[in-house]
PDB file of all heavy atoms in Angstrom:
ATOM      1  N   GLU B 169      -7.130   0.498 -11.567  1.00 91.00           N
ATOM      2  CA  GLU B 169      -6.808  -0.730 -12.263  1.00 91.00           C
ATOM      3  C   GLU B 169      -5.413  -0.595 -12.838  1.00 91.00           C
ATOM      4  O   GLU B 169      -4.809   0.474 -12.789  1.00 91.00           O
ATOM      5  CB  GLU B 169      -7.872  -0.987 -13.322  1.00 91.00           C
ATOM      6  CG  GLU B 169      -9.165  -1.407 -12.633  1.00 91.00           C
ATOM      7  CD  GLU B 169     -10.379  -1.169 -13.485  1.00 91.00           C
ATOM      8  OE1 GLU B 169     -10.211  -0.695 -14.624  1.00 91.00           O
ATOM      9  OE2 GLU B 169     -11.501  -1.425 -13.006  1.00 91.00           O
ATOM     10  N   VAL B 170      -4.926  -1.690 -13.384  1.00 95.00           N
ATOM     11  CA  VAL B 170      -3.527  -1.703 -13.787  1.00 95.00           C
ATOM     12  C   VAL B 170      -3.160  -0.587 -14.777  1.00 95.00           C
ATOM     13  O   VAL B 170      -2.136   0.072 -14.601  1.00 95.00           O
ATOM     14  CB  VAL B 170      -3.125  -3.087 -14.329  1.00 95.00           C
ATOM     15  CG1 VAL B 170      -1.658  -3.100 -14.692  1.00 95.00           C
ATOM     16  CG2 VAL B 170      -3.416  -4.161 -13.302  1.00 95.00           C
ATOM     17  N   PRO B 171      -3.959  -0.339 -15.823  1.00 95.00           N
ATOM     18  CA  PRO B 171      -3.591   0.737 -16.745  1.00 95.00           C
ATOM     19  C   PRO B 171      -3.429   2.073 -16.022  1.00 95.00           C
ATOM     20  O   PRO B 171      -2.524   2.846 -16.332  1.00 95.00           O
ATOM     21  CB  PRO B 171      -4.776   0.783 -17.713  1.00 95.00           C
ATOM     22  CG  PRO B 171      -5.368  -0.580 -17.659  1.00 95.00           C
ATOM     23  CD  PRO B 171      -5.198  -1.028 -16.241  1.00 95.00           C
ATOM     24  N   THR B 206       1.136  -6.467 -10.540  1.00 95.00           N
ATOM     25  CA  THR B 206       0.569  -7.328 -11.565  1.00 95.00           C
ATOM     26  C   THR B 206       1.641  -8.285 -12.070  1.00 95.00           C
ATOM     27  O   THR B 206       2.654  -8.476 -11.401  1.00 95.00           O
ATOM     28  CB  THR B 206      -0.071  -6.502 -12.703  1.00 95.00           C
ATOM     29  OG1 THR B 206      -0.710  -7.357 -13.622  1.00 95.00           O
ATOM     30  CG2 THR B 206       0.957  -5.661 -13.420  1.00 95.00           C
ATOM     31  N   ILE B 207       1.411  -8.890 -13.248  1.00 96.00           N
ATOM     32  CA  ILE B 207       2.339  -9.891 -13.776  1.00 96.00           C
ATOM     33  C   ILE B 207       2.814  -9.467 -15.159  1.00 96.00           C
ATOM     34  O   ILE B 207       2.179  -8.640 -15.814  1.00 96.00           O
ATOM     35  CB  ILE B 207       1.653 -11.268 -13.873  1.00 96.00           C
ATOM     36  CG1 ILE B 207       0.360 -11.153 -14.688  1.00 96.00           C
ATOM     37  CG2 ILE B 207       1.360 -11.820 -12.495  1.00 96.00           C
ATOM     38  CD1 ILE B 207      -0.293 -12.474 -14.984  1.00 96.00           C
ATOM     39  N   GLU B 209       2.759 -10.721 -18.156  1.00 97.00           N
ATOM     40  CA  GLU B 209       1.828 -10.857 -19.280  1.00 97.00           C
ATOM     41  C   GLU B 209       0.878  -9.666 -19.360  1.00 97.00           C
ATOM     42  O   GLU B 209       0.684  -9.079 -20.428  1.00 97.00           O
ATOM     43  CB  GLU B 209       0.991 -12.133 -19.145  1.00 97.00           C
ATOM     44  CG  GLU B 209       1.748 -13.431 -19.323  1.00 97.00           C
ATOM     45  CD  GLU B 209       2.173 -14.027 -18.004  1.00 97.00           C
ATOM     46  OE1 GLU B 209       2.633 -13.248 -17.138  1.00 97.00           O
ATOM     47  OE2 GLU B 209       2.043 -15.249 -17.831  1.00 97.00           O
ATOM     48  N   THR B 210       0.292  -9.334 -18.208  1.00 97.00           N
ATOM     49  CA  THR B 210      -0.654  -8.223 -18.183  1.00 97.00           C
ATOM     50  C   THR B 210       0.048  -6.913 -18.549  1.00 97.00           C
ATOM     51  O   THR B 210      -0.481  -6.115 -19.327  1.00 97.00           O
ATOM     52  CB  THR B 210      -1.283  -8.110 -16.788  1.00 97.00           C
ATOM     53  OG1 THR B 210      -1.963  -9.328 -16.502  1.00 97.00           O
ATOM     54  CG2 THR B 210      -2.269  -6.969 -16.718  1.00 97.00           C
ATOM     55  N   ARG B 213       0.516  -6.759 -22.268  1.00 97.00           N
ATOM     56  CA  ARG B 213      -0.736  -6.491 -22.979  1.00 97.00           C
ATOM     57  C   ARG B 213      -1.141  -5.023 -22.856  1.00 97.00           C
ATOM     58  O   ARG B 213      -1.553  -4.387 -23.837  1.00 97.00           O
ATOM     59  CB  ARG B 213      -1.848  -7.354 -22.398  1.00 97.00           C
ATOM     60  CG  ARG B 213      -1.791  -8.783 -22.880  1.00 97.00           C
ATOM     61  CD  ARG B 213      -3.015  -9.559 -22.436  1.00 97.00           C
ATOM     62  NE  ARG B 213      -2.697 -10.571 -21.448  1.00 97.00           N
ATOM     63  CZ  ARG B 213      -2.381 -11.823 -21.737  1.00 97.00           C
ATOM     64  NH1 ARG B 213      -2.324 -12.217 -22.975  1.00 97.00           N
ATOM     65  NH2 ARG B 213      -2.114 -12.700 -20.780  1.00 97.00           N
TER      66      ARG B 213
ATOM     67  P    DT D  26     -18.955  -6.054 -19.794  1.00 91.34           P
ATOM     68  OP1  DT D  26     -19.263  -4.685 -20.222  1.00 91.34           O
ATOM     69  OP2  DT D  26     -18.980  -7.196 -20.736  1.00 91.34           O
ATOM     70  O5'  DT D  26     -17.531  -6.035 -19.094  1.00 91.34           O
ATOM     71  C5'  DT D  26     -17.379  -5.372 -17.848  1.00 91.34           C
ATOM     72  C4'  DT D  26     -16.041  -5.737 -17.259  1.00 91.34           C
ATOM     73  O4'  DT D  26     -16.150  -6.969 -16.499  1.00 91.34           O
ATOM     74  C3'  DT D  26     -14.949  -6.004 -18.293  1.00 91.34           C
ATOM     75  O3'  DT D  26     -13.743  -5.535 -17.756  1.00 91.34           O
ATOM     76  C2'  DT D  26     -14.915  -7.510 -18.382  1.00 91.34           C
ATOM     77  C1'  DT D  26     -15.118  -7.837 -16.901  1.00 91.34           C
ATOM     78  N1   DT D  26     -15.549  -9.220 -16.611  1.00 91.34           N
ATOM     79  C2   DT D  26     -15.160  -9.776 -15.409  1.00 91.34           C
ATOM     80  O2   DT D  26     -14.488  -9.191 -14.598  1.00 91.34           O
ATOM     81  N3   DT D  26     -15.601 -11.060 -15.220  1.00 91.34           N
ATOM     82  C4   DT D  26     -16.361 -11.817 -16.080  1.00 91.34           C
ATOM     83  O4   DT D  26     -16.688 -12.952 -15.797  1.00 91.34           O
ATOM     84  C5   DT D  26     -16.726 -11.165 -17.315  1.00 91.34           C
ATOM     85  C7   DT D  26     -17.557 -11.887 -18.325  1.00 91.34           C
ATOM     86  C6   DT D  26     -16.309  -9.909 -17.523  1.00 91.34           C
ATOM     87  P    DA D  27     -12.796  -4.537 -18.542  1.00 91.34           P
ATOM     88  OP1  DA D  27     -13.465  -3.241 -18.688  1.00 91.34           O
ATOM     89  OP2  DA D  27     -12.304  -5.272 -19.722  1.00 91.34           O
ATOM     90  O5'  DA D  27     -11.599  -4.379 -17.506  1.00 91.34           O
ATOM     91  C5'  DA D  27     -11.886  -4.148 -16.137  1.00 91.34           C
ATOM     92  C4'  DA D  27     -10.932  -4.928 -15.260  1.00 91.34           C
ATOM     93  O4'  DA D  27     -11.335  -6.324 -15.201  1.00 91.34           O
ATOM     94  C3'  DA D  27      -9.484  -4.939 -15.726  1.00 91.34           C
ATOM     95  O3'  DA D  27      -8.670  -4.757 -14.574  1.00 91.34           O
ATOM     96  C2'  DA D  27      -9.290  -6.310 -16.373  1.00 91.34           C
ATOM     97  C1'  DA D  27     -10.270  -7.181 -15.602  1.00 91.34           C
ATOM     98  N9   DA D  27     -10.908  -8.256 -16.376  1.00 91.34           N
ATOM     99  C8   DA D  27     -11.323  -8.205 -17.677  1.00 91.34           C
ATOM    100  N7   DA D  27     -11.896  -9.312 -18.100  1.00 91.34           N
ATOM    101  C5   DA D  27     -11.855 -10.151 -16.992  1.00 91.34           C
ATOM    102  C6   DA D  27     -12.298 -11.469 -16.786  1.00 91.34           C
ATOM    103  N6   DA D  27     -12.903 -12.205 -17.724  1.00 91.34           N
ATOM    104  N1   DA D  27     -12.101 -12.008 -15.572  1.00 91.34           N
ATOM    105  C2   DA D  27     -11.504 -11.269 -14.627  1.00 91.34           C
ATOM    106  N3   DA D  27     -11.045 -10.019 -14.701  1.00 91.34           N
ATOM    107  C4   DA D  27     -11.247  -9.516 -15.921  1.00 91.34           C
ATOM    108  P    DA D  28      -7.111  -4.539 -14.701  1.00 91.34           P
ATOM    109  OP1  DA D  28      -6.746  -3.669 -13.570  1.00 91.34           O
ATOM    110  OP2  DA D  28      -6.784  -4.149 -16.081  1.00 91.34           O
ATOM    111  O5'  DA D  28      -6.554  -5.994 -14.418  1.00 91.34           O
ATOM    112  C5'  DA D  28      -6.976  -6.648 -13.236  1.00 91.34           C
ATOM    113  C4'  DA D  28      -6.625  -8.106 -13.324  1.00 91.34           C
ATOM    114  O4'  DA D  28      -7.528  -8.793 -14.210  1.00 91.34           O
ATOM    115  C3'  DA D  28      -5.213  -8.397 -13.854  1.00 91.34           C
ATOM    116  O3'  DA D  28      -4.692  -9.437 -13.091  1.00 91.34           O
ATOM    117  C2'  DA D  28      -5.507  -8.857 -15.276  1.00 91.34           C
ATOM    118  C1'  DA D  28      -6.747  -9.681 -14.985  1.00 91.34           C
ATOM    119  N9   DA D  28      -7.497 -10.120 -16.155  1.00 91.34           N
ATOM    120  C8   DA D  28      -7.701  -9.468 -17.331  1.00 91.34           C
ATOM    121  N7   DA D  28      -8.404 -10.153 -18.196  1.00 91.34           N
ATOM    122  C5   DA D  28      -8.686 -11.340 -17.543  1.00 91.34           C
ATOM    123  C6   DA D  28      -9.402 -12.497 -17.922  1.00 91.34           C
ATOM    124  N6   DA D  28      -9.982 -12.631 -19.102  1.00 91.34           N
ATOM    125  N1   DA D  28      -9.487 -13.494 -17.029  1.00 91.34           N
ATOM    126  C2   DA D  28      -8.903 -13.342 -15.834  1.00 91.34           C
ATOM    127  N3   DA D  28      -8.204 -12.302 -15.360  1.00 91.34           N
ATOM    128  C4   DA D  28      -8.132 -11.325 -16.275  1.00 91.34           C
ATOM    129  P    DG D  29      -3.222  -9.504 -12.573  1.00 91.34           P
ATOM    130  OP1  DG D  29      -3.233  -8.726 -11.345  1.00 91.34           O
ATOM    131  OP2  DG D  29      -2.248  -9.212 -13.643  1.00 91.34           O
ATOM    132  O5'  DG D  29      -3.110 -11.055 -12.183  1.00 91.34           O
ATOM    133  C5'  DG D  29      -4.008 -11.576 -11.209  1.00 91.34           C
ATOM    134  C4'  DG D  29      -4.296 -13.033 -11.516  1.00 91.34           C
ATOM    135  O4'  DG D  29      -5.123 -13.123 -12.697  1.00 91.34           O
ATOM    136  C3'  DG D  29      -3.041 -13.861 -11.794  1.00 91.34           C
ATOM    137  O3'  DG D  29      -3.082 -15.079 -11.058  1.00 91.34           O
ATOM    138  C2'  DG D  29      -3.083 -14.121 -13.292  1.00 91.34           C
ATOM    139  C1'  DG D  29      -4.579 -14.079 -13.594  1.00 91.34           C
ATOM    140  N9   DG D  29      -4.845 -13.617 -14.963  1.00 91.34           N
ATOM    141  C8   DG D  29      -4.499 -12.406 -15.521  1.00 91.34           C
ATOM    142  N7   DG D  29      -4.859 -12.299 -16.771  1.00 91.34           N
ATOM    143  C5   DG D  29      -5.479 -13.508 -17.064  1.00 91.34           C
ATOM    144  C6   DG D  29      -6.077 -13.980 -18.266  1.00 91.34           C
ATOM    145  O6   DG D  29      -6.162 -13.403 -19.351  1.00 91.34           O
ATOM    146  N1   DG D  29      -6.584 -15.270 -18.117  1.00 91.34           N
ATOM    147  C2   DG D  29      -6.533 -16.005 -16.950  1.00 91.34           C
ATOM    148  N2   DG D  29      -7.071 -17.211 -16.996  1.00 91.34           N
ATOM    149  N3   DG D  29      -5.989 -15.578 -15.820  1.00 91.34           N
ATOM    150  C4   DG D  29      -5.479 -14.328 -15.948  1.00 91.34           C
ATOM    151  P    DT D  30      -1.788 -16.019 -11.088  1.00 91.34           P
ATOM    152  OP1  DT D  30      -1.690 -16.628  -9.750  1.00 91.34           O
ATOM    153  OP2  DT D  30      -0.647 -15.297 -11.677  1.00 91.34           O
ATOM    154  O5'  DT D  30      -2.193 -17.162 -12.124  1.00 91.34           O
ATOM    155  C5'  DT D  30      -3.437 -17.831 -11.978  1.00 91.34           C
ATOM    156  C4'  DT D  30      -3.579 -18.890 -13.055  1.00 91.34           C
ATOM    157  O4'  DT D  30      -3.952 -18.268 -14.311  1.00 91.34           O
ATOM    158  C3'  DT D  30      -2.310 -19.705 -13.319  1.00 91.34           C
ATOM    159  O3'  DT D  30      -2.675 -21.072 -13.334  1.00 91.34           O
ATOM    160  C2'  DT D  30      -1.847 -19.212 -14.697  1.00 91.34           C
ATOM    161  C1'  DT D  30      -3.167 -18.821 -15.352  1.00 91.34           C
ATOM    162  N1   DT D  30      -3.106 -17.768 -16.401  1.00 91.34           N
ATOM    163  C2   DT D  30      -3.664 -18.019 -17.630  1.00 91.34           C
ATOM    164  O2   DT D  30      -4.207 -19.069 -17.920  1.00 91.34           O
ATOM    165  N3   DT D  30      -3.591 -16.976 -18.525  1.00 91.34           N
ATOM    166  C4   DT D  30      -3.008 -15.742 -18.323  1.00 91.34           C
ATOM    167  O4   DT D  30      -3.003 -14.893 -19.199  1.00 91.34           O
ATOM    168  C5   DT D  30      -2.437 -15.548 -17.010  1.00 91.34           C
ATOM    169  C7   DT D  30      -1.783 -14.244 -16.687  1.00 91.34           C
ATOM    170  C6   DT D  30      -2.508 -16.556 -16.122  1.00 91.34           C
ATOM    171  P    DC D  31      -1.527 -22.195 -13.401  1.00 91.34           P
ATOM    172  OP1  DC D  31      -2.030 -23.348 -12.605  1.00 91.34           O
ATOM    173  OP2  DC D  31      -0.236 -21.580 -13.079  1.00 91.34           O
ATOM    174  O5'  DC D  31      -1.527 -22.618 -14.938  1.00 91.34           O
ATOM    175  C5'  DC D  31      -2.783 -22.859 -15.574  1.00 91.34           C
ATOM    176  C4'  DC D  31      -2.573 -23.174 -17.034  1.00 91.34           C
ATOM    177  O4'  DC D  31      -2.573 -21.955 -17.813  1.00 91.34           O
ATOM    178  C3'  DC D  31      -1.260 -23.890 -17.358  1.00 91.34           C
ATOM    179  O3'  DC D  31      -1.534 -24.912 -18.298  1.00 91.34           O
ATOM    180  C2'  DC D  31      -0.399 -22.779 -17.941  1.00 91.34           C
ATOM    181  C1'  DC D  31      -1.451 -21.952 -18.670  1.00 91.34           C
ATOM    182  N1   DC D  31      -1.098 -20.546 -18.933  1.00 91.34           N
ATOM    183  C2   DC D  31      -1.474 -19.960 -20.158  1.00 91.34           C
ATOM    184  O2   DC D  31      -2.091 -20.629 -20.978  1.00 91.34           O
ATOM    185  N3   DC D  31      -1.143 -18.661 -20.392  1.00 91.34           N
ATOM    186  C4   DC D  31      -0.477 -17.968 -19.475  1.00 91.34           C
ATOM    187  N4   DC D  31      -0.183 -16.692 -19.751  1.00 91.34           N
ATOM    188  C5   DC D  31      -0.081 -18.535 -18.229  1.00 91.34           C
ATOM    189  C6   DC D  31      -0.403 -19.829 -18.002  1.00 91.34           C
ATOM    190  P    DA D  32      -0.418 -25.957 -18.726  1.00 91.34           P
ATOM    191  OP1  DA D  32      -1.108 -27.259 -18.860  1.00 91.34           O
ATOM    192  OP2  DA D  32       0.758 -25.812 -17.842  1.00 91.34           O
ATOM    193  O5'  DA D  32      -0.007 -25.450 -20.191  1.00 91.34           O
ATOM    194  C5'  DA D  32      -1.048 -25.130 -21.106  1.00 91.34           C
ATOM    195  C4'  DA D  32      -0.446 -24.581 -22.375  1.00 91.34           C
ATOM    196  O4'  DA D  32      -0.288 -23.145 -22.275  1.00 91.34           O
ATOM    197  C3'  DA D  32       0.944 -25.140 -22.720  1.00 91.34           C
ATOM    198  O3'  DA D  32       0.979 -25.469 -24.092  1.00 91.34           O
ATOM    199  C2'  DA D  32       1.867 -23.999 -22.371  1.00 91.34           C
ATOM    200  C1'  DA D  32       0.996 -22.805 -22.755  1.00 91.34           C
ATOM    201  N9   DA D  32       1.394 -21.530 -22.174  1.00 91.34           N
ATOM    202  C8   DA D  32       1.893 -21.292 -20.920  1.00 91.34           C
ATOM    203  N7   DA D  32       2.181 -20.031 -20.683  1.00 91.34           N
ATOM    204  C5   DA D  32       1.843 -19.398 -21.861  1.00 91.34           C
ATOM    205  C6   DA D  32       1.903 -18.054 -22.275  1.00 91.34           C
ATOM    206  N6   DA D  32       2.353 -17.064 -21.494  1.00 91.34           N
ATOM    207  N1   DA D  32       1.489 -17.759 -23.525  1.00 91.34           N
ATOM    208  C2   DA D  32       1.048 -18.744 -24.306  1.00 91.34           C
ATOM    209  N3   DA D  32       0.934 -20.045 -24.029  1.00 91.34           N
ATOM    210  C4   DA D  32       1.357 -20.306 -22.797  1.00 91.34           C
ATOM    211  P    DA D  33       2.132 -26.324 -24.740  1.00 91.34           P
ATOM    212  OP1  DA D  33       1.518 -27.503 -25.365  1.00 91.34           O
ATOM    213  OP2  DA D  33       3.213 -26.469 -23.735  1.00 91.34           O
ATOM    214  O5'  DA D  33       2.674 -25.362 -25.895  1.00 91.34           O
ATOM    215  C5'  DA D  33       1.744 -24.606 -26.662  1.00 91.34           C
ATOM    216  C4'  DA D  33       2.452 -23.416 -27.239  1.00 91.34           C
ATOM    217  O4'  DA D  33       2.619 -22.415 -26.219  1.00 91.34           O
ATOM    218  C3'  DA D  33       3.863 -23.739 -27.768  1.00 91.34           C
ATOM    219  O3'  DA D  33       3.879 -23.540 -29.169  1.00 91.34           O
ATOM    220  C2'  DA D  33       4.775 -22.794 -27.006  1.00 91.34           C
ATOM    221  C1'  DA D  33       3.811 -21.721 -26.511  1.00 91.34           C
ATOM    222  N9   DA D  33       4.236 -21.005 -25.316  1.00 91.34           N
ATOM    223  C8   DA D  33       4.618 -21.528 -24.115  1.00 91.34           C
ATOM    224  N7   DA D  33       4.963 -20.625 -23.219  1.00 91.34           N
ATOM    225  C5   DA D  33       4.795 -19.426 -23.892  1.00 91.34           C
ATOM    226  C6   DA D  33       4.990 -18.090 -23.499  1.00 91.34           C
ATOM    227  N6   DA D  33       5.416 -17.733 -22.289  1.00 91.34           N
ATOM    228  N1   DA D  33       4.714 -17.125 -24.412  1.00 91.34           N
ATOM    229  C2   DA D  33       4.282 -17.497 -25.631  1.00 91.34           C
ATOM    230  N3   DA D  33       4.057 -18.714 -26.105  1.00 91.34           N
ATOM    231  C4   DA D  33       4.339 -19.644 -25.187  1.00 91.34           C
TER     232       DA D  33
END
Side-chain angles (χ1 to χ4, degrees):
Chain B
E169 288 158 1
V170 182
T206 185
I207 54 173
E209 291 96 317
T210 300
R213 282 188 249 269

